[in-house]
Amino acid sequence: MSATYEDAYTSSLSDPDAFWLEAAGAVDWIELPHTGWTEGRGWFADGTLNTCYNAVDRHVAAGRGKDIAVIYESPVAGTRQQIDFDTLLKRVSRTAGMLTNLGIGKGDRVIIYMPMIPETLFAMLACARIGAIHSVVFGGFAAPELAKRIDDAAPRALLTASCGIEGGRILPYKPLVDQAIALASHRIEHVVLLQRPQCVAELIHGRDHDWAESHDAARPAACVAIAATDPLYILYTSGTTGTPKGVVRQNGGHAVALAWSMRHIYGTQAGDTFWAASDVGWVVGHSYIVYGPLIAGCTTLLFEGKPVGTPDAGTFWRTITKHQVDIFFTAPTAIRAIRKEDPGGRFIQDIGTGRLRAMYLAGERADPDTLIWAERQLDIPVIDHWWQTELGWPAVATCLGLGDTRRRAGSAGFPVPGFRFAVLGDDGEPVEAGASGHIVVATPLPPGCYSSLWNNADGYLRAFQSFAGDYESGDAGHIDTDGFVHIMGRTDDIINVAGHRLSTGQIEQIIAKHPAIAECAVIGADDRLKGMIPLALAVVKSGVIAGEELPGEIISLVRQELGPVAALKQAILVSALPKTRSGKILRAAIRGLANGKDVVMSPTIENPEALAEIAAALQARRNPEFS
Ligand code: COA
Ligand code: AMP
């Protein structure tokens, strides 16, 4: 493998097949692949492997069974566990046996709706072991969202726990799971529920199984051979409609890309401790809590808590020093939350950061102010890097593992080997260096990127249609004259709230269901803590007298339908929405107003008075949190 970033980048583009076949040597194969990319099939189409074997068994086979694979640190449950590779193998293969006892096998889908506990990792790896396709659903989604995923993935089983713990609150999962199953048209055969000590759930006879009993009754299941192009998982993410997109990840490319990234982006080696303070419900959790670190033979840290309040803004640094974390990964929001509580960095000074070598940030743009603050406090490289659920691993980064250290606040770094970027204007032509445009990536995308959308072939193809076959990321940005890539925001209606990806269009569809609402617009308003927060503007149907409770009802409706993760806290009633003469809602102008910008009244506006009304309403309610 090439030694420098430049060498690696050049060879990854000049002969991608050779580059990635060489990288495939970091993975143990049942049938070694001899082909790189095959159009219509994916990467390493003639290879077979087992992802779970690569994450677990091979480390035991290499004599590392007593090394720690997983550290579970839960300030909210008051629990800490260290799980070595021997134990991980036992637990995962038993969990796999529990699934095979239910008749689940290769190609069957399994939904995992679980909190940040070790059994969630065991469940994901158990699916990978037997070739079942897992689909993890983030705990902050409400029952209707879970139901949509059940109907789309058509799983045979749903794995859950009796509760999650959010800060100091116990959140029972079972009522929500039962409601989702009732809402879904697809019939789930089996629910397996892990009873946590904090909350006991009632089981439905005939459908529900107790996890502990089923696990203990099961015999360990062996790894099965999986084609490299077979799906490992489906992960739903927000698209531009109310229907989430089921991103499909293939086994082979995923294992190769993650193994490569652990070494060459993050600069880790077997035995290092890697902590991604995310959630297994997001792609970061899939790639860098579960699969990446374990495939690389690292110790992964599973943290059930928040950056602040569990118990305080020192919890990250305490965890990092206690467990000797080498590389840490979190979202800028988390750092902003810590900074808000501890602006002078007292906790960092008192606790230190142990042997931490670098902190990586992703999930939203790292604003320079936060990044510079963190770097000053921590005195180690703080690195913004960019990726998406679709891509599965970082596409723009500073590759510490390739010896690169170049960083520029406000930029996510340089294209990662394998990714050829262009910045295009609306006309599809490249813009000048430094000018803003659509961020696109040349195809074929490197290993690890999505290979399709579940049940949505057209949706997948659409991402490659607007720019002559290039992948349209949906992000806008620029590449500066030194080659740094700056990702500035979305070109569609997706917003990032506290690093969580949401669709404003989807929130609008939910609000439109309220019987009193004629139409609405939801925009992402800048927020000092969460980066963005949704803000709803709604017009009441003529003849309806809106009571004082209506904004609250709108907020609750979104919470019930989408989930608390939507974080909608403001709904403003207005008499009209500003529109163009052709009837298009002027969302960009509303966003400008919400963010305190001057909005130019263009002659194409049909009803300028509507903008003026919104400006006045926003002024009256201006939240000090808005920047
Ligand atoms: N299960 C159930 N509810 C959840 C949840 C989960 N897994 N995650 C979040 N929620 C709930 C929260 O409790 C909150 O509910 P509330 O409105 O009743 O208070 C709501 O969803 C919004 O959550 P969030 O936006 O995360 O706000 P917060 O105030 O709870 O926390 C931060 C703020 C900044 C501490 C938190 O957002 C954070 O740590 N962000 C980093 C996110 C991250 O790592 N993203 C992954 C991308 S790398
Ligand atoms: P998700 O699919 O949930 O990982 O969200 C992906 C989206 O988050 C991207 O399309 C970007 O809009 C945003 N994003 C993630 N990381 C970054 C980053 N480092 N800089 C800017 N935007 C980011």
Side-chain angles (χ1 to χ4, degrees):
M1 188 56 65
S2 322
T4 67
Y5 164 78
E6 283 78 12
D7 287 348
Y9 190 68
T10 308
S11 49
S12 76
L13 297 192
S14 62
D15 191 348
D17 283 352
F19 182 88
W20 290 114
L21 281 167
E22 189 184 339
V27 164
D28 282 12
W29 296 87
I30 298 166
E31 289 288 339
L32 193 69
H34 298 287
T35 55
W37 171 257
T38 309
E39 192 61 43
R41 293 188 67 195
W43 283 91
F44 315 119
D46 58 344
T48 56
L49 76 165
N50 185 284
T51 297
C52 177
Y53 179 85
N54 275 281
V56 186
D57 304 50
R58 68 166 170 167
H59 306 306
V60 174
R64 298 193 51 227
K66 295 287 169 249
D67 289 0
I68 300 302
V70 181
I71 298 169
Y72 167 52
E73 177 76 35
S74 176
V76 292
T79 312
R80 179 174 306 142
Q81 277 180 44
Q82 295 206 330
I83 300 162
D84 62 22
F85 279 103
D86 276 340
T87 311
L88 182 65
L89 176 57
K90 286 192 189 113
R91 299 294 302 272
V92 169
S93 47
R94 275 280 190 88
T95 308
M98 171 177 104
L99 295 177
T100 52
N101 278 353
L102 297 174
I104 291 161
K106 211 186 222 180
D108 288 334
R109 273 81 61 210
V110 175
I111 286 208
I112 300 178
Y113 185 75
M114 294 183 65
M116 290 282 287
I117 54 175
E119 284 78 2
T120 310
L121 268 69
F122 305 157
M124 292 166 75
L125 292 162
C127 289
R129 193 169 189 82
I130 59 170
I133 303 167
H134 62 69
S135 187
V136 181
V137 179
F138 178 62
F141 284 119
E145 285 299 307
L146 180 55
K148 281 184 196 166
R149 287 153 175 81
I150 292 172
D151 278 337
D152 196 64
R156 295 196 55 195
L158 186 150
L159 310 183
T160 190
S162 55
C163 65
I165 310 174
E166 264 293 292
R169 285 174 298 161
I170 310 283
L171 299 181
Y173 277 14
K174 188 64 185 343
L176 207 144
V177 165
D178 287 341
Q179 193 194 340
I181 291 175
L183 284 170
S185 323
H186 170 76
R187 201 181 70 81
I188 290 192
E189 291 164 57
H190 307 286
V191 172
V192 187
L193 183 138
L194 181 91
Q195 299 281 14
R196 298 188 77 184
Q198 293 79 9
C199 159
V200 175
E202 292 247 334
L203 300 187
I204 296 177
H205 185 70
R207 185 198 72 183
D208 298 353
H209 309 262
D210 179 78
W211 186 300
E213 281 172 17
S214 311
H215 177 272
D216 293 351
R219 292 163 56 132
C223 292
V224 302
I226 312 284
T229 50
D230 278 347
L232 169 68
Y233 68 76
I234 306 167
L235 178 58
Y236 288 91
T237 188
S238 298
T240 50
T241 66
T243 314
K245 302 197 291 186
V247 164
V248 177
R249 192 92 54 215
Q250 295 181 341
N251 275 273
H254 175 253
V256 171
L258 293 188
W260 190 91
S261 69
M262 286 298 296
R263 177 162 164 210
H264 298 99
I265 297 181
Y266 301 108
T268 60
Q269 49 190 346
D272 281 352
T273 299
F274 192 95
W275 177 20
S278 178
D279 189 288
V280 280
W282 305 116
V283 67
V284 173
H286 282 61
S287 296
Y288 295 112
I289 297 176
V290 186
Y291 290 109
L294 293 176
I295 287 172
C298 294
T299 304
T300 186
L301 200 145
L302 178 72
F303 179 78
E304 189 182 24
K306 297 259 176 185
V308 292
T310 59
D312 56 35
T315 196
F316 274 8
W317 324 123
R318 220 171 278 121
T319 304
I320 284 167
T321 47
K322 190 190 302 154
H323 298 296
Q324 309 222 344
V325 173
D326 294 284
I327 298 289
F328 178 51
F329 181 156
T330 189
T333 295
I335 301 302
R336 288 195 295 267
I338 290 172
R339 184 184 181 183
K340 195 172 165 207
E341 303 265 310
D342 182 21
R346 286 287 305 279
F347 278 115
I348 302 173
Q349 286 145 32
D350 291 352
I351 300 166
T353 52
R355 66 182 202 197
L356 192 66
R357 300 199 291 267
M359 177 167 84
Y360 276 84
L361 300 174
E364 56 181 317
R365 178 168 182 262
D367 55 288
D369 193 37
T370 302
L371 189 135
I372 291 164
W373 179 85
E375 199 153 70
R376 280 212 189 108
Q377 299 297 333
L378 298 171
D379 201 21
I380 50 165
V382 175
I383 300 172
D384 183 16
H385 64 331
W386 173 85
W387 48 307
Q388 311 178 304
T389 307
E390 291 84 342
L391 301 177
W393 61 292
V396 180
T398 299
C399 293
L400 283 187
L402 289 168
D404 201 6
T405 51
R406 293 167 300 167
R407 301 189 302 287
R408 180 165 290 171
S411 158
F414 288 89
V416 166
F419 293 92
R420 189 199 300 269
F421 281 87
V423 184
L424 306 181
D426 290 339
D427 57 0
E429 292 299 318
V431 299
E432 283 173 18
S436 188
H438 301 266
I439 301 282
V440 304
V441 188
T443 49
L445 296 173
C449 298
Y450 71 154
S451 55
S452 57
L453 289 177
W454 192 257
N455 285 336
N456 185 2
D458 289 349
Y460 177 71
L461 291 177
R462 261 199 302 282
F464 301 88
Q465 275 165 355
S466 303
F467 295 101
D470 286 349
Y471 168 69
E472 181 183 7
S473 69
D475 278 304
H478 62 274
I479 301 180
D480 69 23
T481 44
D482 296 321
F484 283 95
V485 182
H486 300 247
I487 311 277
M488 305 305 288
R490 297 286 307 189
T491 56
D492 53 19
D493 70 357
I494 286 169
I495 56 173
N496 260 285
V497 179
H500 305 142
R501 176 167 160 175
L502 301 170
S503 153
T504 55
Q506 182 183 8
I507 303 175
E508 286 177 5
Q509 281 176 25
I510 294 170
I511 297 175
K513 287 188 197 167
H514 192 290
I517 299 303
E519 59 176 350
C520 66
V522 174
I523 55 105
D526 293 347
D527 183 81
R528 280 204 195 119
L529 175 64
K530 297 192 177 185
M532 268 189 184
I533 46 167
L535 169 70
L537 295 144
V539 178
V540 173
K541 279 182 185 156
S542 70
V544 172
I545 313 243
E548 268 180 13
E549 66 292 347
L550 187 53
E553 283 176 19
I554 292 173
I555 290 167
S556 325
L557 183 63
V558 172
R559 197 179 169 93
Q560 280 158 27
E561 292 277 320
L562 189 83
V565 69
L568 178 69
K569 305 280 185 218
Q570 289 206 67
I572 302 176
L573 303 180
V574 289
S575 47
L577 293 173
K579 292 188 181 164
T580 59
R581 293 199 194 286
S582 59
K584 235 178 124 207
I585 297 173
L586 290 159
R587 289 186 177 76
I590 303 174
R591 197 162 48 238
L593 284 178
N595 294 337
K597 303 212 171 82
D598 289 333
V599 173
V600 183
M601 293 287 175
S602 103
T604 58
I605 304 181
E606 171 74 23
N607 50 351
E609 68 286 356
L611 260 187
E613 183 193 358
I614 291 173
L618 287 169
Q619 190 60 38
R621 301 168 139 255
R622 189 163 296 282
N623 180 331
E625 289 293 292
F626 289 151
S627 55

